[in-house]
């Protein structure tokens, strides 16, 4: 990856360095790792140990998934075909299926795919464009906290556009690089600001979005962005959840989003619509 995934530019400034890897910010605002880790390193990050910490967060995560499907139903009350990109072990797909959706998922992790298929879910391993799915075959596509892990976010959203029927919806959530309240809380607790990248960290994020760069990514893929807001499903650890409640209060009072994560809803234009 020699160019910015959003604008194609090469005008970057370094923000952090960790060994041979630099976190850079492009002139367009997108923040990302350069160079990106090799594919084998990325694949090795998503083994069983990666998913284990979430096993003890069952009740709060269950609420998160129920809130997410409620968002989907708010925009799309008629059930149809739903694809979850980066579906993990399939927990959200189970919730969507119980609500009457015909579900399918794609997942980069071989381990997570195996777990999901034991639940009777249809899940393919690999990037979404490697699944060879038919154009216009889904009413809804979701992508919950997967875009930041991807090697090519622009290609993912373009493929989502291809796979959606005209008028179909895409629902995204991703961390907010402008999570200033969490950064300040971390500074108070640890004595230093959190870094965006550590070579051995469990959560391997390759891209870091703001509200503006996320919106620009979707509009570049010819989506109509209907909503960019505060993702209240970002934290399933109580300490982070409490900090994010402060950020949500500030968002409600001021309209300034310094919370931990973003949510975005976008629609593929109906046939004949010019954007």
């Amino acid at each position: 990856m020699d160019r910015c995934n959003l604008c194609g530019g090469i005008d970057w400034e370094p923000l952090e360095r960790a060994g041979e890897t630099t976190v850079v910010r492009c002139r367009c605002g997108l923040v990302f790792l350069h160079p990106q880790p090799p594919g084998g390193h990325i694949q090795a990050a998503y083994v069983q140990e990666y998913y284990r910490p979430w096993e003890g967060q069952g009740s709060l995560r269950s609420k998160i998934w129920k809130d997410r499907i409620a968002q989907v139903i708010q925009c799309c009350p008629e059930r149809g075909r739903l694809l979850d990109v980066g579906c993990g072990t399939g927990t959200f797909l189970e919730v969507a299926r119980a609500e009457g959706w015909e579900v399918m998922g794609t997942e980069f992790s071989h381990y997570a795919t195996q777990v999901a298929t034991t639940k009777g879910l249809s899940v393919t391993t690999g990037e979404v464009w490697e699944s060879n799915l038919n154009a216009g075959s889904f009413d809804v596509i979701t992508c919950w906290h997967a875009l930041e892990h991807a090697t090519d976010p622009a290609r993912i959203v373009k493929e989502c556009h291809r796979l959606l029927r005209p008028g179909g919806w895409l629902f995204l959530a991703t961390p907010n690089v402008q999570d200033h309240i969490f950064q300040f809380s971390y500074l108070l607790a640890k004595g230093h600001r959190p870094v965006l990248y550590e070579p051995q960290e469990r959560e391997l994020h390759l891209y870091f979005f703001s509200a503006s760069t996320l919106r620009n990514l979707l509009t570049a893929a010819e989506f109509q962005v209907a909503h960019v807001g505060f993702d209240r499903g970002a934290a399933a650890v109580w300490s982070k959840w409490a900090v994010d409640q402060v950020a949500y209060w500030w968002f409600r009072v001021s309209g300034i989003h310094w919370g931990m994560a973003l949510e975005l809803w976008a629609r593929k234009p109906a046939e004949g619509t010019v954007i």
Side-chain angles (χ1 to χ4, degrees), residues 245-257:
Q245 296 313 294
V246 176
Y248 183 65
W249 170 84
W250 175 245
F251 174 69
R252 291 293 301 270
V253 169
S254 68
I256 299 172
H257 191 338

Side-chain angles (χ1 to χ4, degrees), residues 225-244:
V225 177
H227 165 76
V228 181
F230 195 108
D231 175 31
R232 301 196 70 189
V237 176
W238 287 108
S239 57
K240 290 184 177 180
W241 180 86
V243 170
D244 216 34

